[in-house]
Amino acid sequence: MKRFAGAICVDQGECVLFNDVQDGGPMWNGSGAREVRLAQAFKAAFIGDPVVTVGLTMWDVDHMTNSRIDILAENVTPYGFDLLFRTWGDTRIARVRANWLAIGPGWEDEDWAGL
């Protein structure tokens, strides 16, 4: 469990991680271990590392292969994180869109007084 003192701040975002069916990219035409890493910046910095949850809002996958997916937040800092998507084996993924939610400690109005 992570405890926060003072102001609790929330940020959220959404991004298309890839669209490999259009350009014949590795998630669509490749096999074996593959990954896409995309840096995400928060709109404003937290004062400590937030907790980040990620999820899928869209994925387009070939129905003739197994659907293997791993999606997570890595390298979380007060300024942002890496959104990491992985697949493996014969999975063919055309495109993926993900969303994220960050909750963490932020500045209270009183913290800015006198600056």
Side-chain angles (χ1 to χ4, degrees):
M1 176 184 299
K2 197 167 202 176
R3 295 180 192 270
F4 302 113
I8 307 280
C9 294
V10 177
D11 197 357
Q12 63 183 6
E14 184 174 67
C15 64
V16 174
L17 285 163
F18 58 86
N19 190 348
D20 281 6
V21 72
Q22 285 186 337
D23 60 11
M27 290 295 185
W28 185 247
N29 288 328
S31 63
R34 290 157 283 155
E35 73 176 39
V36 171
R37 181 180 303 269
L38 191 59
Q40 300 293 295
F42 299 129
K43 293 173 189 77
F46 291 89
I47 60 173
D49 293 348
V51 174
V52 179
T53 302
V54 297
L56 293 174
T57 55
M58 184 273 300
W59 75 318
D60 182 2
V61 62
D62 183 0
H63 73 284
M64 299 297 289
T65 62
N66 290 318
S67 300
R68 301 174 184 96
I69 181 174
D70 184 19
I71 188 166
L72 62 144
E74 280 194 337
N75 306 319
V76 177
T77 72
Y79 306 98
F81 67 98
D82 291 334
L83 184 52
L84 177 60
F85 179 92
R86 294 187 285 219
T87 192
W88 57 96
D90 64 347
T91 300
R92 294 182 57 180
I93 304 172
R95 60 189 143 252
V96 166
R97 184 176 62 230
N99 65 356
W100 54 265
L101 180 71
I103 302 172
W107 300 103
E108 295 202 51
D109 291 338
E110 301 84 48
D111 295 333
W112 295 102
L115 292 181

